[in-house]
Amino acid sequence: MTGTDVLDLWDASAREHPAAPALVTVHRVLSYRDADRLTDAWAASLAARGARSGELVGLAFGDPARTVLGMLAALKAGAGFTVLDERLPPTARAELVDRTAAAVWLGDGCHAPEGAYVPAAPDSGDGADGPEGPGAARPTARAAASDAAYVLFTSGSTGRPKGTVVERDALRRFAIAVAGRLGLTPRDRWLQVASLGFDVLIEEVFPAFAAGAAVVCREDSRALDAEELHIALSRTRTTVVELSTQYWLEYARWLEHTGTTTPADLRTVVVGGERMDPRPYRAWQARQPAGLAHVYGLTECTVSSTFYTGLLPDDAEEVPLGTPLRDVEISIRRDGRRVPDGETGEIHIGGPLLARGFLDDEAATARRFVPDPEAARPGARLYATGDLGRIDADGQLVFRGRADDQIKIRGYRLEPARVERALCAVAGVGQAVVFPDPEAGTALWAFTVPADPASAPLPGGAERLTGADRDALVAPLEAELPDWAVPRVLYRVSALPKNPHGKVDKRRLATWATAGAGTGAGAGVGAPPVPGEPLGGVLDLFREVLDAPGLGPDDDFFDHGGQSLLAMRLLARLRESHPAAAGLRASALFASPTPRLLAKALADRENART
């Protein structure tokens, strides 16, 4: 793996393995030769429309395969790329489109900006040569190592997500390092499952291409539940897949419950995004043939920085974050100075994989990308992660918590202040605090204090918000924030309690919420079950998955903390006891979000089968 540009890695794979699969889709397998010719043509089309060094190409496809092709084409045109997540609400999408000021947009569907176009599709069969045809030559302009490869956005505390600018040399080094650490070869197939606006997409694509391996793409960007994931892994003969911590836990739970093992071809499951409990990690290593790679990293440092692939010792209290990738420097510091191994401090990341900084935000860049006071190399920088950690006796990085209030929700970093500020902008809300649910950590809880004390509940208790009260708070947030950042369980309190250090006592708030479980407007109410409907079993599963014993037959799944991962779990449990649930997608819950409606949908499916 040589060369000075990230595209040299692609060119080497295309030259050495021209007939090997590069992109596997539901409809077609594109060889390196075919994908190379097609992306050359796309690059020519982009260059003709103004894409070049110093510019960005925007990608707004719902199709993962076209997104991957667009990433390659943008780099071939000398430009960088940005990917627009179709799940963002319209206001947030419009702001990101404006901020990136992309020279050209490729995309289709309702979330694509005005003026976006779709080049020749990989399965179009159009063989006509020309300035945009499959025979068009790649642009000759060569980009510099310091040019932007891509810009992806992360959460910001001010309500403006930060655009992280990663340069081409950092992407090249990263692809080589991950391919080497995982031992990727041309025989590997990496299944793409991450959201298209998430930085894990970068890790799913470029290390595979650097090794001459194949990227396997789904038909669309819809999330797969555990059973669908297992089927996809088996059918595509996938060897490597990367899952967020909570997603992996759902898959591990499904495997255990069904008595199934990972598919024969699957050799490595990369897991990261949140703290890992050692118990399921050990259980997996004891039962499953596929190995685990626990990773840690940030968008600002080019995705993953450390990997742990060892067998977890029986006495380990934490799953290590691992050791640094090639070209990554990890240090534990206090006040900018290293601390001895074994001591806790803030994790700092250095080396050539650091991003250039934040798009059009010099102040934030200077605040987080700081000079290294101990470096011998002039201009050396560090990224202060805000994570606490230590280096253990084996040289492994171990996570010890956060130095600030930043949290992780389903693998996404989030500044709670961003959500709290949005809540306080809603009429009638005086104060707000949000944090992950204490049990699973997969959804946000929100506690609000009314601006009018007369509307507050009695002190020392939390009133669960449902119906119109809940909708009045959630609707403005859904118009501004991505789905995973919107609180799904909301409470009203008379005041936010403080601990002895003067900070909001989140533990006491959680206790108030638990003590009031099943109370509040609409909780546990509704007409009795209808004879002949399988409501009893469905209602029990809703209560089990949501951990809400007081849930009623007409209570909404999403109003009571439900989200995509819990929907996966509910559908998996339903399939065990209801044959009519076979093939039912998690999206069915949007149409039938209550136990009664879902029970009726199951009954209708059963009747249609008989």
Side-chain angles (χ1 to χ4, degrees):
M1 297 180 189
T2 59
T4 59
D5 186 70
V6 63
L7 281 177
D8 293 331
L9 305 177
W10 167 267
D11 289 339
S13 292
R15 183 172 58 252
E16 295 169 13
H17 314 285
L23 200 63
V24 178
T25 73
V26 174
H27 304 292
R28 183 177 176 184
V29 176
L30 279 176
S31 68
Y32 270 90
R33 180 189 298 110
D34 292 339
D36 194 44
R37 292 183 71 241
L38 181 63
T39 50
D40 279 354
W42 283 27
S45 171
L46 290 170
R49 289 168 166 81
R52 59 184 181 275
S53 174
E55 300 285 354
L56 287 177
V57 170
L59 303 174
F61 291 112
D63 175 8
R66 284 183 173 179
T67 301
V68 172
L69 292 169
M71 290 157 62
L72 272 174
L75 294 172
K76 286 185 173 185
F81 61 83
T82 190
V83 182
L84 190 62
D85 191 335
E86 64 179 336
R87 301 170 307 162
L88 288 175
T91 302
R93 288 203 305 267
E95 182 187 359
L96 294 193
V97 169
D98 183 62
R99 288 176 60 190
T100 55
V104 192
W105 277 94
L106 302 183
D108 53 12
C110 60
H111 79 295
E114 184 178 356
Y117 78 103
V118 181
D123 54 353
S124 66
D126 181 5
D129 291 345
E132 298 183 19
R138 182 192 305 188
T140 57
R142 189 165 181 85
S146 59
D147 284 342
Y150 64 84
V151 175
L152 292 179
F153 287 84
T154 59
S155 170
S157 59
T158 64
R160 279 174 58 87
K162 297 189 286 287
T164 302
V165 184
V166 173
E167 296 176 349
R168 296 174 78 104
D169 187 57
L171 179 56
R172 178 185 68 86
R173 292 172 181 267
F174 169 75
I176 294 171
V178 175
R181 180 64 67 96
L182 293 179
L184 299 179
T185 74
R187 294 185 298 276
D188 279 302
R189 292 183 167 207
W190 195 315
L191 179 64
Q192 193 284 306
V193 296
S195 301
L196 297 183
F198 195 21
D199 68 345
V200 172
L201 171 67
I202 303 299
E203 188 156 79
E204 295 171 321
V205 172
F206 290 97
F209 287 160
V215 176
V216 180
C217 288
R218 300 160 292 153
E219 187 171 11
D220 54 42
S221 59
R222 178 186 57 82
L224 304 174
D225 66 27
E227 184 175 4
E228 292 171 329
L229 172 67
H230 187 74
I231 293 171
L233 293 169
S234 300
R235 288 179 175 172
T236 60
R237 304 193 309 280
T238 288
T239 62
V240 182
V241 68
E242 183 159 358
L243 306 175
S244 69
T245 305
Q246 293 297 332
Y247 193 0
W248 172 77
L249 285 170
E250 289 300 322
Y251 183 43
R253 184 181 286 108
W254 180 85
L255 289 171
E256 181 179 3
H257 202 86
T258 58
T260 309
T261 58
T262 50
D265 291 303
L266 185 65
R267 65 177 183 86
T268 302
V269 181
V270 183
V271 183
E274 298 173 65
R275 178 192 170 272
M276 172 66 73
D277 187 329
R279 290 172 297 177
Y281 202 89
R282 286 195 194 92
W284 177 285
Q285 290 186 322
R287 298 177 188 140
Q288 300 300 337
L292 290 174
H294 191 218
V295 299
Y296 166 77
L298 300 95
T299 306
E300 295 88 346
C301 306
T302 313
V303 200
S304 295
S305 297
T306 66
F307 277 64
Y308 175 74
T309 55
L311 188 65
L312 191 65
D314 291 340
D315 59 351
E317 297 180 356
E318 293 286 338
V319 180
L321 301 178
T323 55
L325 288 175
R326 169 182 168 178
D327 287 328
V328 174
E329 301 165 8
I330 298 289
S331 58
I332 308 300
R333 305 193 179 212
R334 294 197 206 104
D335 300 321
R337 300 291 176 179
R338 295 174 188 263
V339 302
D341 287 354
E343 291 191 16
T344 297
E346 185 177 5
I347 301 171
H348 286 66
I349 302 177
L353 266 63
L354 289 191
R356 177 192 299 171
F358 299 120
L359 182 68
D360 299 328
D361 196 338
E362 294 182 3
T365 298
R367 190 164 55 249
R368 299 307 296 265
F369 295 85
V370 298
D372 184 352
E374 299 181 356
R377 186 175 71 255
R381 300 180 304 154
L382 296 168
Y383 185 77
T385 67
D387 291 326
L388 300 177
R390 64 180 179 86
I391 304 296
D392 69 12
D394 297 321
Q396 304 282 349
L397 178 63
V398 179
F399 182 70
R400 303 293 292 170
R402 284 290 300 177
D404 56 24
D405 290 331
Q406 191 179 87
I407 59 177
K408 283 283 188 81
I409 290 291
R410 289 144 62 185
Y412 295 92
R413 282 187 292 151
L414 177 67
E415 300 281 359
R418 182 184 178 194
V419 185
E420 291 163 359
R421 186 171 284 108
L423 278 168
C424 288
V426 179
V429 176
Q431 294 175 279
V433 65
V434 300
F435 54 88
D437 67 281
E439 184 65 28
T442 61
L444 281 180
W445 283 9
F447 292 79
T448 62
V449 178
D452 180 3
S455 303
L458 293 174
E463 176 188 351
R464 178 72 173 268
L465 298 181
T466 60
D469 288 342
R470 176 187 177 279
D471 293 346
L473 293 182
V474 169
L477 272 60
E478 289 180 328
E480 178 182 345
L481 302 172
D483 174 74
W484 50 267
V486 177
R488 297 300 172 187
V489 176
L490 296 95
Y491 294 91
R492 183 183 291 136
V493 295
S494 61
L496 298 177
K498 302 294 194 298
N499 62 26
H501 303 289
K503 295 186 177 181
V504 174
D505 192 335
K506 297 172 183 176
R507 188 170 299 177
R508 198 188 314 179
L509 285 171
T511 300
W512 289 356
T514 303
T519 65
V525 299
V530 176
E533 290 183 3
L535 181 55
V538 175
L539 179 58
D540 289 343
L541 290 178
F542 267 69
R543 290 170 173 171
E544 172 194 319
V545 169
L546 293 173
D547 192 22
L551 196 79
D554 297 303
D555 284 335
D556 190 290
F557 179 80
F558 300 101
D559 285 356
H560 289 77
Q563 33 75 13
S564 59
L565 288 172
L566 291 180
M568 292 179 188
R569 189 183 307 175
L570 177 61
L571 266 293
R573 296 285 285 116
L574 277 168
R575 293 189 189 108
E576 297 164 13
S577 54
H578 294 78
L584 198 66
R585 318 297 278 260
S587 57
L589 276 170
F590 288 102
S592 305
T594 70
R596 189 187 307 280
L597 290 174
L598 189 57
K600 184 178 185 307
L602 289 173
D604 291 344
R605 285 170 64 91
E606 182 63 34
N607 292 335
R609 292 171 46 174
T610 58

